[in-house]
Amino acid sequence: MLVVALGVYALSTVPGLRSHAGYSVGWDGWLQNSVLMAAAAVVGLRACIVRDKRLDWACIAVGLGLYAVGNIIYFAYVQYQASPPAPSAADVPWLVCYPFLYVGVIRLARQPGARIDRLLRIDSVISALGLSAIAMIWFEVMLRGTSGSLATVLTTMAYPVGDLLLMLIVVGCLAVHRWRVDRVWAWLGAGLGLFAAADTIYAIRVATDSYRAGTLLDPMWAVAATMMAIAAWKSQGRSGSSRENGWAVLYVPTLITVTALALLVLAGHGPGSLPVRILAAATVLAGLVRAAFTFQTMVTLVGNGVEARTDELSGLRNRRAFLEAVERRIAAGHGLFAIVLIDLDRFKEVNDSLGHIAGDDLLREVGVRLKARMRQGDVLARLGGDEFAILLENTQAEAAREIAERLRLDLQQAFVKDGMTIYSDASCGVAVWPEAADDVGGLLQRADIAMYDAKRERSGTAIYTHGEDTDLSAPLRFVDELRTALLDDQLVLHYQPKIGLRTAKLEGVEALVRWKHPVRGLLPPDSFLPLAERYGLMRQLTTRVLTLALDQVSEWHRAGMDTSVAVNISVSNLLDLELPEQVRTLLEVRDLSPSCLILEVTETTLMADPTRATELLTRLQAIGVRVSIDDYGTGYSSLARLRELPVNELKLDRSFLLGISRDPRAGAIVRSTVELAHSLGLTLVAEGIETQRDEEILRELACDLGQGFHLARPLPADELLAWATQRGATAPRAEATPLP
Ligand code: C2E
Ligand code: MG
Ligand code: MG
């Protein structure tokens, strides 16, 4: 309807079709204003109905609406007052409409996360300078043609200035979009352009006293408003959004520069004033700078292979470039080389607890450190995530291991970022060509197997050797085996006592899971827990551990040993809002008091999603289960945070005990942690007590409980009972109720 009404109105202005020339109340008054109002309403409707970019379009709708209001006021003047004064009340909404259009357009153009590179900045400068030069000429022409009071001159000049700004903003926005024009921007840009053009023609006509109402110029604003209404309802096209609009990126700024050059030449011969010349000269200069940068970019692009082979984050080669380099190296044939795969340990924890920005910074820094060690001919790449790869030229397996170890040492150095210290480590896998495999895929896969071995065995670096593990799908097979293990009762728990340092009494035990692997023997938790977490088996595993632990506690109770058990839970458990209910049921069916169970959560796990964790821990505490923060001191939780968290116990990480007997500062840290814990009403447990001396010092420091190899190793359930009985930690047998 809008378009039809517009068509009818536009037709009415075709010369010869109206009954009389000049202003017509019906056509230029009623119909034109209805079209303008309707266009604003159509845009407004879009803002109301569609949520996406609502505010952006609302601004534009208000802008258009104000413009229409101005027109209506003007119409009223013409109706009742023959000739409207200058400036008139209509100028108010007309001028106020600009800021709304600006804000709307700028908001629409925003691209969160978009990278603004050097070239783009220069292009914006060129566009701004070039357009200003052109605008300046026009401005001067306008100024010469305007006469009257200061107010008249100011209002008359406000329109060209407002329009110029509008055009600058549209061009700037297109530059930010790298001259990629989708359907929305095509309609919107054209509409705004037409709007500015109509204003300009109108202003010139008025200045030269040649404006006549009811000509083809009059519908131009309505056409412009309708185009914006159409833009509002076009969906933001995806077409071409992933590809650069190559020619436009190159030609638009060039075109502007050439125009400026022409201006400069013309200005030399006649019209242009000094400001025009300065602006034109500056545009040409910026154009030259741009040409230099373009050239430089071309050179690097050609030199390093195309952009598609660079990892954006680290600036290193990416996977594709690495594969190509290895392929080329294999094709060259002579001499051997090694591939080292480097995978950061616990990178996920950094990401989870410190955020992705810190994670990215760490990855970049890792890239820098690795690069510093590269020799002539070596190829370094980031394959993705926290995985890096190196091609070591002319390197045997053992030499490669040495290099990898040196790289690991570099990575172990603390990373300091914004006053925060991050410790990192890596596991490396080495595969040597042609022994390990003779194609790229095989080499990478085997380096991956070796790396995986290194991770599992915590050996730092491992070299791939044939026979030891020729199965390429080992990790996945392992996960499959773990699934079976969960069903087949292959998981067993060992229990490590927590002992009162002052009382020397058994205060509880911690359940530590092990996997009785049918082939590999008893596996430690570190070798399979990360896989369980990654492949979504953690909930199942925790349920199994909780069941085993609580069964065991009931059995010990029956045997006269009254003890509580601590169970470790992981990130995915903390996200599982059903956990409290599950724990409650498990306790209830065994008729156990909730005080028999402590859940241990590591500090880094807690910080992954503190809000959610707090909610879950609060619910656990509500049923009476105690909560302990494990490995305390290795994460980054602030003291303030600690006070808010619903916890009962802190377990000081064993790294704090290193050197405690020699270094008084280590002692001071433990002492203050004890004080902190006590002032918050928490029990403090020291982990990893390995010597008599450690135990004594901790007792002096008033630490409550201790756990460690010196006190007792993790033991199978029956051995633990024997150990406790021997220490007299169990009640006399007679007290146990005899079975009927
Ligand atoms: P954690 O909860 O901090 O458990 C303490 C770890 O330190 C245990 O290793 C224990 O054997 C070891 N340890 C105890 N005393 C000493 C000592 O004096 N010196 C040294 N060097 N180490 C000592 P483990 O059993 O290998 O467990 C490692 C980690 O695996 C545990 O750390 C815990 O985070 C996790 N884990 C164990 N069982 C489970 C489980 O059932 N579920 C979950 N989610 N995690 C578990
Ligand atoms: Mg623990
Ligand atoms: Mg611990």
Side-chain angles (χ1 to χ4, degrees):
M1 280 165 66
L2 176 62
V3 172
V4 169
L6 173 72
V8 171
Y9 172 48
L11 219 63
S12 82
T13 60
V14 173
L17 288 188
R18 279 196 192 181
S19 53
H20 60 92
Y23 192 84
S24 144
V25 173
W27 296 121
D28 302 317
W30 292 108
L31 186 57
Q32 177 180 204
N33 288 329
S34 312
V35 170
L36 287 171
M37 268 310 204
V42 167
V43 179
L45 201 66
R46 192 274 183 208
C48 293
I49 295 178
V50 187
R51 255 188 64 198
D52 183 37
K53 310 215 162 182
R54 170 170 288 167
L55 215 61
D56 317 9
W57 286 108
C59 285
I60 294 178
V62 172
L64 285 178
L66 282 168
Y67 183 78
V69 169
N71 250 29
I72 291 168
I73 298 177
Y74 191 82
F75 172 46
Y77 273 121
V78 176
Q79 274 285 64
Y80 302 109
Q81 219 181 315
S83 152
S88 73
D91 287 310
V92 177
W94 271 341
L95 286 176
V96 176
C97 87
Y98 285 107
F100 282 95
L101 292 179
Y102 299 158
V103 173
V105 172
I106 292 173
R107 285 188 60 100
L108 261 185
R110 277 181 321 168
Q111 286 180 308
R115 248 177 353 111
I116 308 255
D117 58 23
R118 203 167 50 178
L119 224 50
L120 201 60
R121 281 207 197 105
I122 300 181
D123 282 357
S124 315
V125 172
I126 293 179
S127 311
L129 285 173
L131 284 181
S132 307
I134 297 167
M136 199 68 196
I137 295 186
W138 168 51
F139 194 77
E140 284 167 0
V141 170
M142 298 286 309
L143 203 60
R144 255 178 261 144
T146 315
S147 56
S149 70
L150 183 66
T152 318
V153 174
L154 279 184
T155 20
T156 318
M157 291 316 292
Y159 291 101
V161 172
D163 287 326
L164 172 65
L165 212 61
L166 194 59
M167 275 348 285
L168 279 180
I169 289 173
V170 170
V171 172
C173 292
L174 289 179
V176 169
H177 279 246
R178 290 163 192 268
W179 312 105
R180 228 183 280 129
V181 182
D182 61 8
R183 279 172 299 182
V184 174
W185 277 97
W187 283 102
L188 187 68
L192 290 166
L194 192 63
F195 190 85
D199 264 1
T200 310
I201 297 174
Y202 174 77
I204 293 175
R205 289 258 165 102
V206 170
T208 54
D209 212 15
S210 61
Y211 173 71
R212 302 284 170 273
T215 65
L216 275 171
L217 173 63
D218 283 359
M220 274 171 77
W221 288 273
V223 173
T226 308
M227 287 171 114
M228 291 184 232
I230 294 173
W233 286 94
K234 285 280 173 202
S235 60
Q236 204 98 42
R238 298 237 174 276
S239 57
S241 63
S242 60
R243 240 187 302 133
E244 296 267 304
N245 197 343
W247 69 268
V249 170
L250 199 63
Y251 292 129
V252 176
T254 313
L255 194 77
I256 297 176
T257 315
V258 170
T259 314
L261 197 64
L263 270 183
L264 202 58
V265 174
L266 286 180
H269 292 288
S273 65
L274 188 64
V276 174
R277 283 183 217 182
I278 293 176
L279 283 170
T283 315
V284 174
L285 210 66
L288 287 177
V289 173
R290 184 189 201 274
F293 277 135
T294 315
F295 183 70
Q296 189 199 24
T297 314
M298 293 293 201
V299 169
T300 29
L301 279 186
V302 173
N304 294 354
V306 252
E307 221 178 318
R309 284 166 181 76
T310 312
D311 170 50
E312 220 178 313
L313 181 80
S314 62
L316 302 176
R317 285 184 176 78
N318 62 11
R319 175 180 284 271
R320 185 201 290 192
F322 186 75
L323 295 184
E324 282 173 1
V326 178
E327 256 163 16
R328 270 199 304 275
R329 182 58 189 77
I330 291 175
H334 53 85
L336 40 78
F337 67 88
I339 283 191
V340 182
L341 212 63
I342 304 174
D343 191 280
L344 299 189
D345 294 341
R346 296 182 306 276
F347 175 71
K348 196 176 168 304
E349 285 175 23
V350 173
N351 245 351
D352 287 348
S353 56
L354 299 181
H356 289 278
I357 295 177
D360 287 355
D361 285 341
L362 177 63
L363 289 176
R364 261 187 290 263
E365 181 62 27
V366 167
V368 171
R369 288 190 188 180
L370 294 177
K371 203 170 177 179
R373 285 274 178 192
M374 293 300 106
R375 310 159 306 177
Q376 183 81 35
D378 292 347
V379 178
L380 167 66
R382 175 171 166 247
L383 299 186
D386 58 348
E387 210 173 56
F388 295 79
I390 305 173
L391 185 161
L392 293 173
E393 198 43 79
N394 289 324
T395 311
Q396 307 257 11
E398 273 313 314
R401 184 207 294 277
E402 268 170 38
I403 294 176
E405 280 303 303
R406 224 174 310 136
L407 292 174
R408 280 189 57 234
L409 278 181
D410 282 350
L411 297 184
Q412 284 162 3
Q413 302 300 314
F415 291 87
V416 181
K417 175 77 194 169
D418 299 334
M420 216 154 41
T421 311
I422 307 175
Y423 290 95
S424 162
D425 201 349
S427 301
C428 306
V430 178
V432 179
W433 181 83
E435 286 159 46
D438 55 9
D439 65 324
V440 196
L443 274 174
L444 269 180
Q445 237 165 351
R446 277 151 194 170
D448 197 49
I449 291 173
M451 190 274 293
Y452 185 76
D453 277 349
K455 258 206 191 330
R456 196 172 43 217
E457 282 149 23
R458 292 197 159 188
S459 55
T461 305
I463 298 172
Y464 175 82
T465 43
H466 272 296
E468 177 197 320
D469 192 349
T470 36
D471 187 355
L472 297 184
S473 60
L476 286 180
R477 264 256 308 278
F478 197 57
V479 173
D480 250 8
E481 289 173 359
L482 183 56
R483 275 201 191 96
T484 321
L486 282 164
L487 301 172
D488 284 4
D489 272 355
Q490 289 175 21
L491 295 189
V492 293
L493 297 184
H494 283 188
Y495 299 90
Q496 187 176 33
K498 289 183 188 172
I499 292 171
L501 286 174
R502 250 176 308 114
T503 58
K505 276 204 332 221
L506 176 70
E507 299 285 351
V509 297
E510 175 174 10
L512 296 161
V513 69
R514 273 100 183 87
W515 177 3
K516 242 187 193 152
H517 193 281
V519 183
R520 302 182 196 218
L522 200 65
L523 298 178
D526 292 346
S527 66
F528 58 91
L529 289 182
L531 277 179
E533 189 73 85
R534 190 145 105 213
Y535 289 91
L537 298 173
M538 209 56 185
R539 283 187 191 185
Q540 215 182 330
L541 187 138
T542 304
T543 307
R544 185 80 200 122
V545 172
L546 277 167
T547 312
L548 286 173
L550 293 178
D551 278 346
Q552 191 58 56
V553 168
S554 327
E555 200 178 312
W556 281 331
H557 282 192
R558 281 197 296 277
M561 183 170 86
D562 240 341
T563 188
S564 64
V565 68
V567 169
N568 294 284
I569 59 173
S570 78
V571 178
S572 38
N573 302 129
L574 264 193
L575 300 179
D576 176 9
L577 288 176
E578 285 163 22
L579 183 73
E581 188 49 35
Q582 189 195 9
V583 166
R584 207 179 56 81
T585 322
L586 283 171
L587 287 165
E588 226 168 57
V589 294
R590 288 172 184 77
D591 206 11
L592 284 172
S593 142
S595 63
C596 291
L597 182 64
I598 298 182
L599 292 178
E600 291 191 6
V601 195
T602 64
E603 200 184 355
T604 30
T605 306
L606 268 181
M607 289 305 135
D609 186 349
T611 324
R612 186 121 177 212
T614 309
E615 185 190 336
L616 195 97
L617 297 187
T618 311
R619 283 169 54 183
L620 281 168
Q621 269 198 338
I623 18 181
V625 170
R626 279 173 294 164
V627 176
S628 171
I629 299 190
D630 205 350
D631 301 348
Y632 177 74
T634 54
Y636 305 90
S637 53
S638 67
L639 297 179
R641 190 80 230 180
L642 196 59
R643 205 174 39 145
E644 292 159 19
L645 282 173
V647 291
N648 310 80
E649 185 182 271
L650 287 190
K651 291 185 80 174
L652 191 63
D653 191 68
R654 70 162 169 273
S655 55
F656 286 89
L657 302 199
L658 294 175
I660 196 172
S661 53
R662 280 169 279 114
D663 185 357
R665 279 174 306 179
I669 292 177
V670 175
R671 185 193 307 276
S672 62
T673 313
V674 173
E675 278 162 15
L676 168 76
H678 288 171
S679 69
L680 293 173
L682 310 178
T683 310
L684 190 78
V685 186
E687 288 186 305
I689 299 185
E690 290 184 347
T691 63
Q692 177 69 32
R693 185 88 191 99
D694 287 349
E695 187 191 342
E696 281 161 10
I697 293 176
L698 286 163
R699 188 178 302 124
E700 277 163 28
L701 292 176
C703 181
D704 306 294
L705 306 180
Q707 190 179 341
F709 293 166
H710 168 67
L711 302 168
R713 289 195 169 255
L715 300 166
D718 47 348
E719 285 180 36
L720 185 96
L721 184 63
W723 176 89
T725 317
Q726 192 198 353
R727 284 174 54 110
T730 55
R733 275 235 156 256
E735 273 182 26
T737 332
L739 289 170

